[in-house]
């Protein structure tokens, strides 16, 4: 056990996987000597060499497209996209290729590929670097989308992603990289992909969040106690495949739900959560399912991003609103 | 083929300030003006670095060492021609007429830095590597279709040449004979990745062969060579003879951005050696030896640059702060109904210090 940050847990998971399995390799921009722009691959180049920790030319489509080939060919690539916003460069390789190889080949081939990418706001980045794009991939059959929110979750989910036989997009909340530490086992452990996690039990409202919004949801739940509102916080952990059962069960108990995400509102994954709740817990609902999200604009410049991002006070207002309905 | 002899480095002023070529296409006054520009931009760039270190601005991508490549190219354009910059090309933008305080505003997260003055034909800086190269093809093509006689210059780095967008742009421009002068600032590094890992070719200019277009390799730290070559290439493109690929060989003197630590990946020996090739000292030496620049001139230029930059810092710091709700603006020409509703909720929550949802 060691007390570590999320980024350290991620580095450790990759190191373990590379130690255990010679087929695992890491590729991306600046991942080698520099250890990645966030230092996620810090020390791996020294340990495993430039053949397995590969500084690629600057071309995301080539990183993902060649990873698809590497994976079909028997390797276990972990591709890093420097910031999620740059994943648009690879949309064909993900949406039309990685996701469909199994389907297209009737199972003859498959793509055990992990694409890691930092995302989300709160760190004052230039344009494009903060975008939350998980909904695109939740909308892509054949792809799994995992989003950790703590160091412990990060390591266990990444190890599962690396072992997974299908392509997994693993999204790392930038603002949680170093925001807190927790105890993480030194050894290999896996956490299930496709399983939500009850972060805090409660009886009045179900508050659903993922990634960077989990701590925000926890803070709002804590404040809500002062209003006498007992909030059950659920971390979705995987937006594709989505664990609807855990959420539906919770809402059957609480009768109310609020979904929080940083991504823009319209067409966001929150809409999927809300639809799932009304399908599965319609008769339990005491109030409409509310969403607290980013606004339907491009992620704004750093000087005003705090106004744009959902925060605990906005979540708390929604909790009060649903209870007062 | 030996690319290095096929695409010889165009140089007029060597790194010691010795004239090694023909400078007949640039006047003494132009050279003195270039000197002033180089000093101004270096002063600005270093001030930006310091401001970031003091916490007065956010992330900034310095261009020190690349001033001559940027000015030399921008100076070869006519009014009305298009400039398509990356995040590191404030030098070119300012030369083209963008206010001196824009890079500061940009790093302070003020979107006004994206609003290019009406009398300047340039796109706002953008960070997605290589995307603007294709935009420049479209702009030049539109000029051709509308008989506007405009040339477009996209600026991009050595790293950008790995992107599909770069290759697609060269190919398309060659096919439609778009008047584009592609200016690659080969500063040897893409963050931590050296060109030796970025490409297998000895030069970037030689890529022109694959598209059957003109290609040329210039000492990008030699403002005379840059300016004269670019003049020629811009004329070539404007004449309808098709696009041109220019490799401006330069060096990133500083870090990739204020968030980067180059000691992790490059030797200080290299940095020191290549710093000696930087653009300002050689022009200064040349002008001094030619009797075109006195000690007083040097001092005056330095002082004026400092004063102009301080004025720009002040303008940026005093610039009205962006109103929070203005992030709802300019998403569409006419704000959509859902956005209007969201803005209303946002404003109400600001006014009340609380929030409503629905
Ligand atoms: C599509 C895309 N991928 C990755 C990045 C992150 N990134 C920013 S600058 C850079 C290196 C660019 O190198 P180069 O093209 O040589 O330009 P330079 O920074 O040297 O001016 C990278 C990888 C980005 N901005 N856009
Ligand atoms: Mg470069």
């Amino acid at each position: 056990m060691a007390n570590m940050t999320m980024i350290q847990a991620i580095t450790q998971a990759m190191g373990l996987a590379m130690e255990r399995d010679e087929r695992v390799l890491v590729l991306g921009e600046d991942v080698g000597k520099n250890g990645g722009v966030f230092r996620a691959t810090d020390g791996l180049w020294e340990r495993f060499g430039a053949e397995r920790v590969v500084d690629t030319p600057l071309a995301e489509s080539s990183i993902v497209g060649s990873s698809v080939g590497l994976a079909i060919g028997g390797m276990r690539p972990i591709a890093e996209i420097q910031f999620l916003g740059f994943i648009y460069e690879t949309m064909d390789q993900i949406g039309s290729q990685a996701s469909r190889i199994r389907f297209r080949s009737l199972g003859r081939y498959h793509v055990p590929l992990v694409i890691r990418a930092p995302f989300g706001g709160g760190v004052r980045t230039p344009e494009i670097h903060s975008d939350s794009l998980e909904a695109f991939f939740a909308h892509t059959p054949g792809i799994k989308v995992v989003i950790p929110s703590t160091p412990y979750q990060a390591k266990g989910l990444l190890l599962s992603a690396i072992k997974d036989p299908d392509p997994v997009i693993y999204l790392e909340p930038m603002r949680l990289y170093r925001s807190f530490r927790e105890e993480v086992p030194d050894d290999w452990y896996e956490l299930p992909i496709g399983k939500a996690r009850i972060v805090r039990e409660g009886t009045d409202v179900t508050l659903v969040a993922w990634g960077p919004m989990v701590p925000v949801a926890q803070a709002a739940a804590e404040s809500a106690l002062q209003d006498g509102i007992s909030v059950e916080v659920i971390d979705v952990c995987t937006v594709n495949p989505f664990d609807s059962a855990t959420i539906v069960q919770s809402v059957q108990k609480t009768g109310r739900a609020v979904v929080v995400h940083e991504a823009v509102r319209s067409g966001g994954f929150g809409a999927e959560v809300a639809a799932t709740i009304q399908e599965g817990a319609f008769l339990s609902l005491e109030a409409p399912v509310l969403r607290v999200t980013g606004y339907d604009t491009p992620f704004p410049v750093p000087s005003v991003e705090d106004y744009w991002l959902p925060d605990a006070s906005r979540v708390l207002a929604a909790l009060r609103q649903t209870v007062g309905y | 083929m030996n690319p290095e002899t096929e695409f010889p480095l165009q140089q007029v002023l060597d790194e010691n300030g010795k004239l090694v070529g023909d400078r007949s296409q640039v006047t003494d006054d132009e050279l003195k003006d270039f000197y002033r520009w180089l000093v101004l931009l270096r002063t600005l760039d270093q001030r930006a670095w310091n401001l970031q270190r003091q916490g007065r601005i956010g992330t900034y991508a310095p261009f020190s060492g690349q001033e001559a490549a940027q000015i030399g190219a921008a100076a070869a354009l006519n009014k009305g021609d298009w400039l398509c910059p990356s995040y590191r090309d404030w030098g070119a933008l300012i030369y083209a007429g963008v206010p001196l305080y824009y890079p500061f505003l940009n790093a302070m997260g003020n979107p006004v830095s994206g609003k290019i003055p009406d009398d300047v034909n340039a796109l706002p800086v953008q960070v997605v590597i290589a995307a603007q190269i294709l935009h420049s093809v479209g702009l030049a093509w539109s000029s051709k279709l509308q008989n506007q006689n405009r040339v477009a210059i996209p600026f991009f780095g050595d790293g950008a040449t790995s992107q599909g967008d770069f290759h697609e742009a060269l190919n398309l421009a060659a096919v439609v004979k778009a008047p584009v002068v592609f200016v690659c600032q080969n500063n040897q590094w893409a963050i931590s990745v050296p060109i030796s890992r970025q490409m297998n070719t000895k030069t970037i200019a030689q890529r022109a062969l694959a598209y059957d277009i003109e290609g040329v390799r210039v000492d990008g730290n030699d403002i005379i060579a840059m300016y004269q070559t670019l003049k020629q290439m811009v004329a070539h493109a404007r004449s309808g003879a098709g696009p041109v690929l220019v490799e401006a060989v330069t060096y990133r003197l500083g870090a990739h951005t204020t968030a980067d630590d180059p000691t992790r990946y490059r030797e200080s020996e290299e940095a020191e050696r290549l710093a000696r090739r930087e653009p300002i000292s050689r022009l200064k030496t040349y002008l001094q030896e030619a009797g075109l620049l006195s000690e007083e001139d040097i001092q005056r230029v330095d002082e004026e640059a400092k004063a102009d930059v301080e004025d720009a810092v002040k303008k940026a710091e005093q610039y009205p702060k962006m109103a929070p709700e203005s992030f709802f603006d300019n998403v569409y020409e006419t704000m959509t109904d859902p956005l209007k509703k969201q803005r209303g909720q946002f404003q109400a929550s600001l006014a009340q210090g609380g929030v409503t949802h629905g």
Side-chain angles (χ1 to χ4, degrees):
Chain A
M1 284 288 228
N3 205 24
M4 61 175 76
T5 60
M6 181 184 286
I7 192 114
Q8 288 169 329
I10 288 168
T11 310
Q12 196 186 64
M14 285 191 281
L16 265 183
M18 295 183 80
E19 243 168 52
R20 273 220 184 170
D21 185 346
E22 293 212 326
R23 299 170 303 168
V24 176
L25 77 166
V26 169
L27 65 167
E29 295 158 8
D30 306 285
V31 299
K33 204 169 180 182
N34 199 33
V37 295
F38 286 102
R39 311 289 176 246
T41 53
D42 198 15
L44 298 182
W45 183 80
E46 289 81 355
R47 274 170 74 191
F48 301 103
E51 294 265 294
R52 292 184 69 197
V53 184
V54 187
D55 273 330
T56 63
L58 203 175
E60 289 75 11
S61 181
S62 80
I63 294 170
V64 174
S66 64
S67 291
V68 169
L70 282 163
I72 295 172
M75 302 300 286
R76 292 276 174 158
I78 306 176
E80 176 176 303
I81 299 298
Q82 205 160 70
F83 290 86
L84 183 60
F86 303 136
I87 210 158
Y88 286 115
E89 301 275 357
T90 73
M91 284 310 227
D92 174 63
Q93 288 298 342
I94 296 174
S96 321
Q97 308 304 330
S99 63
R100 290 166 180 258
I101 297 288
R102 181 186 290 281
F103 192 73
R104 187 179 293 151
S105 70
L106 296 188
R108 166 77 163 83
Y109 300 115
H110 68 290
V111 183
L113 156 68
V114 178
I115 301 173
R116 297 178 34 250
F119 81 107
V123 284
R124 310 267 182 273
T125 64
E127 197 189 5
I128 319 286
H129 294 67
S130 296
D131 294 19
S132 292
L133 306 177
E134 68 273 15
F136 284 108
F137 306 107
H139 199 64
T140 305
I143 295 283
K144 297 181 181 177
V145 184
V146 174
I147 310 179
S149 66
T150 75
Y152 177 79
Q153 293 288 318
K155 180 173 169 186
L157 285 168
L158 182 52
L159 289 174
S160 296
I162 293 168
K163 268 185 74 178
D164 201 281
D166 285 306
V168 178
I169 297 187
Y170 180 90
L171 303 180
E172 304 169 3
M174 246 186 283
R175 70 159 109 166
L176 301 186
Y177 265 159
R178 297 180 170 84
S179 64
F180 66 100
R181 292 169 179 269
E182 80 183 353
E183 290 296 322
V184 175
D186 298 326
D187 289 341
W188 187 287
Y189 63 93
E190 292 167 32
L191 294 171
I193 290 177
K195 190 86 193 85
R197 169 174 82 98
I198 298 174
V199 177
R200 168 192 184 112
E201 295 200 14
T203 51
D204 298 329
V205 189
T206 300
L207 179 56
V208 183
W210 51 91
M213 287 294 112
V214 172
V216 171
Q218 284 173 289
E222 193 59 37
S223 313
L225 270 186
Q226 275 150 36
D227 291 23
I229 306 173
S230 161
V231 179
E232 178 144 302
V233 178
I234 299 182
D235 176 359
V236 163
C237 302
T238 308
V239 302
N240 189 9
F242 172 50
D243 176 9
S244 51
T246 299
I247 280 115
V248 164
Q249 266 166 29
S250 172
V251 179
Q252 282 168 345
K253 175 176 75 177
T254 60
R256 296 178 168 86
V258 174
V259 193
V260 196
H261 60 69
E262 201 176 300
V264 302
R265 185 181 192 82
S266 296
F269 191 70
E272 181 66 28
V273 176
T276 303
I277 291 171
Q278 70 83 23
E279 282 169 359
F282 184 68
L283 292 177
S284 310
L285 280 175
E286 306 275 356
V289 180
L290 296 184
R291 285 177 288 168
V292 182
T293 67
Y295 297 102
D296 286 345
T297 76
F299 194 93
V301 292
S303 58
V304 294
E305 70 177 83
D306 289 344
Y307 289 97
W308 190 91
L309 287 165
D311 61 10
S313 74
R314 281 177 65 196
V315 178
L316 183 61
L319 291 170
R320 286 180 179 144
Q321 195 181 332
T322 186
V323 169
Y325 182 80
Chain B
M1 183 202 70
N2 179 349
E4 282 164 327
T5 51
E6 202 74 21
F7 296 90
L9 191 72
Q10 306 293 316
Q11 196 184 55
V12 178
L13 210 51
D14 75 8
E15 62 183 88
N16 301 314
K18 291 276 167 292
L19 205 59
V20 294
D22 167 37
R23 55 147 284 202
S24 60
Q25 301 307 306
V26 56
T27 66
D28 289 350
D29 282 346
E30 282 173 324
L31 276 190
K32 286 194 277 187
D33 196 46
F34 282 151
Y35 176 75
R36 193 181 60 75
W37 271 103
L38 290 171
V39 172
L40 175 65
L41 291 175
R42 178 68 58 86
T43 309
L44 173 95
D45 193 62
Q46 296 190 339
R47 187 75 176 108
W49 181 270
N50 294 337
L51 288 175
Q52 195 280 337
R53 286 301 186 250
Q54 294 166 20
R56 288 158 73 182
I57 64 172
T59 308
Y60 175 78
F63 54 74
S64 280
Q66 301 180 214
E67 299 91 343
Q70 295 188 20
I71 300 171
L77 290 177
N78 291 347
K79 188 112 202 131
D81 287 343
W82 284 101
L83 217 138
C84 306
S86 84
Y87 47 86
R88 207 185 293 290
D89 300 313
W90 287 107
L93 278 176
I94 290 166
Y95 189 92
V98 161
L100 204 55
Y101 57 87
Y102 266 34
F104 298 134
L105 278 186
N106 182 264
M108 291 161 86
N110 190 319
V112 168
S113 60
K115 193 170 164 67
I116 304 293
D118 289 342
D119 61 342
V120 177
N121 275 349
L123 300 184
V125 300
Q126 76 84 32
V127 301
V128 184
I129 301 297
Q132 76 277 9
I133 313 177
L134 277 165
H135 306 160
S136 75
V137 176
L139 284 165
W141 192 3
S142 80
S143 159
K144 185 176 164 172
L145 293 172
Q146 299 171 94
N147 294 314
Q148 290 169 327
N149 205 25
R150 290 179 183 156
V151 170
I153 289 190
F155 286 100
F156 52 95
D158 39 293
T161 66
S162 295
Q163 288 282 22
D165 281 5
F166 165 77
H167 297 277
E168 293 166 28
L170 264 61
N171 185 54
L172 176 60
V175 169
V176 301
K177 291 232 175 332
V180 185
V181 178
F182 297 98
V183 177
C184 178
Q185 291 173 75
N186 175 1
N187 66 4
Q188 319 295 323
W189 291 91
I191 309 186
S192 73
V193 180
I195 41 171
S196 59
R197 280 210 67 92
Q198 194 68 247
M199 62 195 73
N200 188 47
T201 56
K202 285 250 166 21
T203 74
I204 290 169
Q206 75 194 73
R207 308 268 176 103
L209 290 175
Y211 305 98
D212 202 6
I213 62 175
E214 202 68 32
V216 58
R217 198 157 62 100
V218 195
D219 182 341
N221 291 354
D222 170 1
I223 190 137
I224 306 180
M226 257 324 273
Y227 176 67
Q228 293 189 153
T229 308
L230 265 288
K231 268 277 190 211
Q232 223 179 329
M233 293 300 134
V234 167
H236 172 99
R238 204 185 303 279
S239 74
V244 184
L245 173 61
V246 177
E247 174 183 357
V249 180
T250 179
Y251 188 67
R252 195 191 79 204
L253 287 178
H256 169 69
T257 67
T258 47
D260 173 50
D261 172 13
T263 62
R264 283 181 74 95
Y265 54 79
R266 76 181 184 189
E267 302 298 329
S268 58
E269 182 278 321
E270 175 203 282
E272 282 159 25
R273 181 168 46 83
L274 293 181
R276 286 199 288 276
R277 296 192 198 158
E278 68 84 40
I280 303 184
S281 60
R282 69 171 82 180
L283 181 63
K284 186 173 172 183
T285 306
Y286 172 72
L287 290 176
Q288 280 179 302
E289 287 176 1
L292 294 169
L293 191 72
S294 67
E295 283 304 320
E296 281 150 42
D297 292 336
I298 293 172
Q299 215 178 342
R300 201 195 58 248
V301 167
D302 281 348
E303 277 162 16
E304 281 175 10
K306 279 206 190 83
D308 287 351
V309 168
E310 282 325 299
D311 180 59
V313 173
K314 206 183 284 163
K315 284 203 172 96
E317 290 192 325
Q318 290 173 355
Y319 206 91
K321 294 272 169 295
M322 179 187 177
E325 66 267 27
S326 59
F327 59 64
F328 289 100
D329 298 339
N330 294 304
V331 181
Y332 299 100
E333 179 170 301
T334 309
M335 193 176 290
T336 59
D337 289 341
L339 259 192
K340 274 188 201 149
K341 187 173 162 199
Q342 290 181 22
R343 187 179 61 175
Q345 289 167 347
F346 178 75
Q347 284 167 328
S349 75
L350 273 188
Q352 296 160 10
V355 192
T356 56
H357 293 266

